[in-house]
Amino acid sequence: MKRLFFYACLLLGTGFSSHGQSGLQAFPLADVRLLESPFKAAQQTDMKYLLALDCDRLLAPFLREAGLEAKLKSYGNWENSGLDGHIGGHYLSALSEMYAATGNVELKKRLDYMLDWLEKCQLKNGNGYVGGIPGSRELWDAVEAGKADAGSFSLSNRWVPWYNIHKLYAGLIDAYQLTGNEQAKRILLKLSDWCLKITSGMSDAQMQQMLKTEHGGMNEVFADVAALSNDQRYLQMARRFSHRAILNPLLHHVDSLNGLHANTQIPKVIGFMRIAEVGKDAGWKDAADFFWNTVVDHRTVSIGGNSVSEHFNPTNNFSSMMESREGPETCNSYNMLKLSKHLFLYSKDAKYMDYYERTTYNHILSSQHPDGGFVYFTPMRPRHYRVYSQPQEGFWCCVGSGLENHGKYGELIYAQDQKDLYVNLYLPSVLQWKARNLSITQQTRFPFEEQSTLTVELKKPQDFAIKFRYPAWVEAGKLQILVNKKAVKVKRDEHGYAAVRKLWQDGDVITIVLPMQTKAEILPDQSDWVSFVHGPIVLAAITDTTGLTGLHADGSRMGHVASGPLYPIQDAPLLVTENRDFAGKIKPVKNKAFTFSAASLIVQPQYQNLEMIPFYQVHDARYMIYWPFTNQAQLRTRQALIKSQEEARLGLDAITVDQVSVGEQQPESDHRFKGERTENGVFKDRHYRSAKGFFSYVLKNPGKNAVKLSFTYFDGEKQGDFDLLVNGVLLQSFKMEGKGAQFADTVLPLPDELKTQQTLEVVFKAKPGRSTSNIFELRLLDQ
């Protein structure tokens, strides 16, 4: 009976989906095999990375917390600085996905080995718990007693422990679903019951307070557990793990996302959607859909990514996107694709697959180096670059999701509704449709050719429809379908698909012709920046290969950021055109496949030889994705404005020794944040932190050349009385009168005895009965 249930789950696709008869089902990942293509190459590269990792080092945090002796020491980087064990959870998912996608038995052996040791740890703990979070026992005792202090990125001074353990839950679900491993299910249910127990005494208000801390998709996994166990207690737990501060505005179609940490919110919304599926709650589905539309239509750049330094920028101001070295985060797109998959299978609407295709080609595929290594941030800033992880060094969140991304390209190429086949993506692949005892082979060089050919293989004729996605980038009336070289009538249905229904014979061949054109896409805020897209493929130009500091990241805490010099935006290629007439002036380069030129638009002679190619082919280089533009009348004004803004920005950057973007997760974690009775938030689209107790950061001064400390605060608060201390030395006391009501920048000289210190702990400490002001940015300066 269990085996029958397992195969029923496989037919429903990832996440034990429950869409009802009107929805779609994904095919099991094991039933789709990739053929030669950039995606197959990326899959194989990812598999090598997976096999380069050491299971015993990934397991070390779990053994440590269970009181068992580890065979090898833990990996470093994020794996021994507070997020210990999170990659182990991702690794379970990645092994399961890659094994399903390839059948490589070594991956299955590793998965079984990981699960064996995780169960030993669970048995040793004796209460159902297993995890690698430092100080696990003390942490969860505090949670069970209702005494855990919740901040945005910490719980009882542990770095996002629910986010961390969510990766293990998800990995166990994937191991059971994708490989049928009963041991994974056994561990999962015990871990789920442990969670029910330690939260059983918490009121809903206490739960909501705890959910201020980033917690990944804990609501999603409990909805999954409810589906696989048919136990409503877990669905109720999924609802309790749903953060109402995010859900309630979405239920009322209110966009309150400005300034929020993007990848904290997206997994919550996947959970809302998952609860909607399992619990048949149309309102929560509508909330998830509203979120998707808000993010995709108003917060997403051309590659499909979103966020700046991990946070949602204002929808009416993308300037930070163009200025920052920390552009869209790969984890965000990983999770937006998961949400898109659920919404598509529920609704059949091709718009979700249009986004899925765009993001898969241009962000996900581009986020892995051809020789291995994953990207965290993809800067949109002109002439900046990306850095890549190394297997034994970098263990960022985007390494965890990166391990998964390239093993599951086959998950949505096809779908079915128990009657008909849906062809969603035009990727070389073979589908085994076991329920119909047939196979479909898709051959294409897309996007290097504008068509795809599918061959049907079956033992006896069958009547059903094959429905082809009519991409939004194909002009109306231009898509063509031929069956056995004869054109058939093409009609786009209400879901965005064109159907061919017939009695299929063995050897039938269907050719779909997909004409592409070049389009210009302005930023969502309609500012003067443009990106070029040919079909679904974002075009980029390599500008040079200089200054690629940390291209292959080491294990340092900030190694995931492309920290090389920022090249002035005023020196970047500038486009000039009237009436925003771009697309017609983008010309193919003769004798070079999928290569284009914008020479007639570029002002500067030195850039007129630049060639644009698919962004996913750009690596180890500085590049242009978005181009500043103006018209002839505004040319000098635009150049002068860019120059003045850049000189001020780069001038400050040049004298900065170290800095903290106060209130943002990674900058705070990177600078060893501590605090008591402290809150962070967004005020006038700027991140801040304040405290009735204290908060502190450790800044680096490796060259011992820092001479000043600067920070920004808001002086409109009457209660803002605090001391500023550095390494225990009082620098200055501040008393706010609440008269100015404006942002104020303060620069304080460092005493001589502090200038020689390589690390400086900066503490903002509220006076008794008072609070600090809202503090916005903190910098060490060398002049």
Side-chain angles (χ1 to χ4, degrees):
M1 192 68 185
K2 288 182 179 179
R3 193 167 186 84
L4 287 174
F5 175 78
F6 167 68
Y7 283 113
C9 290
L10 285 184
L11 287 173
L12 292 173
T14 301
F16 305 96
S17 299
S18 179
H19 304 291
Q21 293 300 310
S22 62
L24 297 175
Q25 292 84 44
F27 285 94
L29 192 56
D31 291 352
V32 181
R33 288 287 185 264
L34 300 183
L35 300 177
E36 290 306 313
S37 68
F39 294 96
K40 177 70 175 290
Q43 178 196 77
Q44 297 299 304
T45 298
D46 184 16
M47 185 159 58
K48 290 179 183 178
Y49 202 105
L50 280 167
L51 295 174
L53 295 174
D54 192 308
C55 293
D56 288 322
R57 297 192 70 181
L58 291 173
L59 285 164
F62 299 94
L63 273 68
R64 179 197 67 214
E65 293 304 310
L68 297 171
E69 184 176 353
K71 292 187 177 183
L72 295 173
K73 70 176 183 178
S74 171
Y75 279 114
N77 194 242
W78 290 19
E79 273 291 301
N80 73 352
S81 58
L83 212 57
D84 311 33
H86 77 121
I87 294 295
H90 277 296
Y91 197 58
L92 295 180
S93 291
L95 289 171
S96 302
E97 291 158 347
M98 191 68 78
Y99 172 68
T102 66
N104 184 311
V105 294
E106 176 58 28
L107 300 167
K108 183 66 164 58
K109 288 178 182 177
R110 287 178 174 236
L111 178 65
D112 293 344
Y113 182 82
M114 294 283 292
L115 291 169
D116 282 345
W117 275 106
L118 289 171
E119 187 163 50
K120 289 176 184 176
C121 292
Q122 188 175 57
L123 292 171
K124 180 66 165 59
N125 285 325
N127 60 356
Y129 173 71
V130 57
I133 299 155
S136 290
R137 188 171 296 277
E138 296 81 6
L139 166 67
W140 300 122
D141 284 349
V143 169
E144 187 169 14
K147 296 179 180 179
D149 181 28
S152 294
F153 308 117
S154 65
L155 188 66
S156 287
N157 293 317
R158 270 73 168 191
W159 186 10
V160 292
W162 285 118
Y163 167 93
N164 185 336
I165 202 170
H166 163 256
K167 311 312 166 200
L168 179 60
Y169 275 101
L172 293 168
I173 290 169
D174 287 336
Y176 173 62
Q177 179 192 2
L178 295 170
T179 76
N181 189 299
E182 290 287 340
Q183 186 179 31
K185 181 182 178 183
R186 187 165 63 243
I187 299 168
L188 172 67
L189 291 178
K190 287 182 179 179
L191 185 61
S192 299
D193 288 342
W194 162 82
C195 184
L196 288 179
K197 178 180 179 297
I198 69 164
T199 59
S200 62
M202 298 176 69
S203 68
D204 287 342
Q206 288 175 313
M207 283 290 294
Q208 291 301 309
Q209 176 68 15
M210 184 172 68
L211 296 183
K212 289 170 52 181
T213 303
E214 184 181 12
H215 51 274
M218 287 299 299
N219 54 352
E220 176 199 7
V221 295
F222 271 103
D224 284 344
V225 175
L228 70 89
S229 66
N230 199 28
D231 188 331
Q232 291 299 301
R233 293 180 306 152
Y234 300 121
L235 183 58
Q236 177 60 26
M237 194 67 199
R239 292 185 182 276
R240 294 194 76 205
F241 259 112
S242 292
H243 194 196
R244 288 283 174 172
I246 300 302
L247 174 62
N248 289 341
L250 297 176
L251 287 170
H252 294 90
H253 287 197
V254 175
D255 178 357
S256 300
L257 300 177
N258 280 2
L260 296 184
H261 186 256
N263 202 45
T264 295
Q265 316 317 323
I266 304 171
K268 297 175 187 176
V269 179
I270 298 170
F272 302 158
M273 183 63 196
R274 192 71 190 98
I275 291 167
E277 293 169 351
V278 178
K280 297 179 172 58
D281 191 321
W284 286 38
K285 181 268 176 186
D286 186 59
D289 201 25
F290 174 76
F291 175 89
W292 186 93
N293 282 291
T294 296
V295 172
V296 172
D297 293 343
H298 306 296
R299 299 181 177 278
T300 296
V301 293
S302 62
I303 65 168
N306 64 73
S307 78
V308 183
S309 298
E310 303 186 353
H311 294 76
F312 287 126
N313 57 279
T315 57
N316 63 353
N317 186 355
F318 273 66
S319 60
S320 59
M321 181 71 76
M322 295 300 102
E323 296 164 2
S324 178
R325 66 177 82 233
E326 298 179 12
E329 179 188 4
T330 308
C331 278
N332 289 356
S333 291
Y334 159 91
N335 277 313
M336 283 300 294
L337 291 185
K338 288 183 70 174
L339 179 58
S340 300
K341 178 180 178 180
H342 283 284
L343 288 166
F344 167 68
L345 293 176
Y346 189 98
S347 69
K348 302 183 182 179
D349 195 327
K351 74 176 185 179
Y352 302 109
M353 288 309 307
D354 286 332
Y355 169 79
Y356 191 101
E357 176 186 58
R358 174 73 73 92
T359 307
T360 298
Y361 268 102
N362 300 297
H363 198 186
I364 300 302
L365 183 58
S366 73
S367 68
Q368 181 178 239
H369 193 281
D371 295 329
F374 305 110
V375 172
Y376 196 118
F377 293 120
T378 297
M380 295 295 103
R381 181 185 172 92
R383 299 195 305 157
H384 209 57
Y385 66 101
R386 296 159 294 171
V387 299
Y388 306 88
S389 66
Q390 298 186 78
Q392 309 305 315
E393 298 285 348
F395 293 91
W396 329 311
C397 55
C398 293
V399 169
S401 57
L403 291 170
E404 296 184 44
N405 279 331
H406 311 280
K408 56 180 181 177
Y409 285 127
E411 68 173 0
L412 268 192
I413 300 175
Y414 310 97
Q416 53 94 8
D417 62 3
Q418 299 179 353
K419 299 181 298 180
D420 301 325
L421 176 68
Y422 285 69
V423 179
N424 305 313
L425 298 171
Y426 301 107
L427 271 65
S429 53
V430 177
L431 166 68
Q432 299 294 334
W433 193 354
K434 293 178 180 176
R436 284 192 173 272
N437 194 26
L438 63 81
S439 68
I440 303 284
T441 299
Q442 182 176 184
Q443 295 279 7
T444 181
R445 293 183 60 251
F446 183 86
F448 288 88
E449 65 177 350
E450 296 183 340
Q451 68 176 40
S452 187
T453 300
L454 292 88
T455 303
V456 181
E457 296 180 47
L458 41 70
K459 292 186 177 179
K460 61 181 181 179
Q462 296 188 45
D463 189 302
F464 61 92
I466 300 179
K467 298 186 176 183
F468 296 90
R469 181 174 60 94
Y470 198 128
W473 42 266
V474 175
E475 288 187 53
K478 297 292 186 181
L479 184 142
Q480 302 174 54
I481 299 177
L482 297 89
V483 177
N484 299 325
K485 299 184 179 180
K486 293 181 179 180
V488 299
K489 184 177 180 180
V490 174
K491 181 181 179 182
R492 183 173 184 165
D493 68 17
E494 70 273 20
H495 298 299
Y497 280 77
V500 179
R501 180 177 294 279
K502 71 182 290 287
L503 184 67
W504 297 101
Q505 308 281 342
D506 184 52
D508 278 344
V509 176
I510 313 106
T511 301
I512 180 165
V513 180
L514 303 156
M516 292 188 281
Q517 58 183 323
T518 303
K519 293 185 178 180
E521 293 189 357
I522 310 299
L523 277 174
D525 66 353
Q526 298 301 302
S527 58
D528 295 341
W529 293 88
V530 65
S531 177
F532 299 104
V533 187
H534 190 73
I537 308 301
V538 174
L539 303 175
I542 293 174
T543 57
D544 61 87
T545 57
T546 62
L548 304 179
T549 304
L551 180 66
H552 298 283
D554 58 20
S556 63
R557 193 63 185 79
M558 296 289 287
H560 58 286
V561 178
S563 59
L566 298 176
Y567 290 177
I569 293 177
Q570 72 263 24
D571 295 337
L574 177 64
L575 309 184
V576 175
T577 184
E578 305 303 319
N579 303 318
R580 299 192 173 188
D581 177 25
F582 298 105
K585 296 181 180 179
I586 304 300
K587 302 298 183 183
V589 176
K590 290 183 179 180
N591 301 320
K592 289 189 177 181
F594 221 104
T595 304
F596 300 84
S597 171
S600 64
L601 296 171
I602 298 174
V603 174
Q604 304 96 321
Q606 68 269 31
Y607 291 126
Q608 289 182 348
N609 290 327
L610 290 181
E611 295 178 345
M612 294 188 292
I613 60 175
F615 178 56
Y616 71 77
Q617 294 183 326
V618 174
H619 291 283
D620 305 336
R622 293 177 179 263
Y623 52 79
M624 297 286 298
I625 292 178
Y626 275 92
W627 308 67
F629 71 86
T630 187
N631 58 36
Q632 195 63 48
Q634 296 295 317
L635 176 58
R636 290 190 178 182
T637 301
R638 175 88 161 114
Q639 288 175 316
L641 178 62
I642 292 174
K643 183 177 181 180
S644 64
Q645 292 173 336
E646 273 293 279
E647 285 179 346
R649 188 180 303 113
L650 295 182
L652 180 60
D653 190 67
I655 65 172
T656 297
V657 177
D658 197 4
Q659 71 177 89
V660 183
S661 297
V662 174
E664 296 184 11
Q665 179 181 8
Q666 286 311 320
E668 291 198 329
S669 298
D670 292 339
H671 291 88
R672 293 157 59 181
F673 162 79
K674 294 180 182 178
E676 291 181 0
R677 291 186 296 152
T678 177
E679 297 285 344
N680 67 316
V682 178
F683 179 74
K684 295 188 176 182
D685 293 330
R686 299 181 69 175
H687 291 271
Y688 73 86
R689 181 171 290 281
S690 62
K692 292 183 178 179
F694 81 93
F695 60 93
S696 67
Y697 309 102
V698 176
L699 277 71
K700 300 180 182 66
N701 182 30
K704 300 181 181 180
N705 56 340
V707 296
K708 296 176 183 176
L709 182 74
S710 78
F711 67 94
T712 302
Y713 65 93
F714 188 73
D715 69 355
E717 303 156 31
K718 294 182 180 179
Q719 301 299 314
D721 294 354
F722 61 95
D723 292 335
L724 174 62
L725 303 97
V726 180
N727 284 5
V729 176
L730 178 65
L731 236 57
Q732 188 169 319
S733 294
F734 293 83
K735 183 176 179 61
M736 302 292 107
E737 301 295 339
K739 297 178 180 179
Q742 62 184 1
F743 292 103
D745 296 315
T746 295
V747 180
L748 301 173
L750 292 173
D752 289 342
E753 65 267 26
L754 295 178
K755 296 176 184 177
T756 59
Q757 304 299 309
Q758 289 190 321
T759 58
L760 299 172
E761 183 179 35
V762 180
V763 181
F764 294 88
K765 184 177 182 182
K767 297 284 191 182
R770 311 289 279 183
S771 68
T772 69
S773 295
N774 291 347
I775 307 299
F776 294 87
E777 187 174 61
L778 180 64
R779 290 176 182 262
L780 276 181
L781 307 176
D782 63 12
Q783 57 180 277

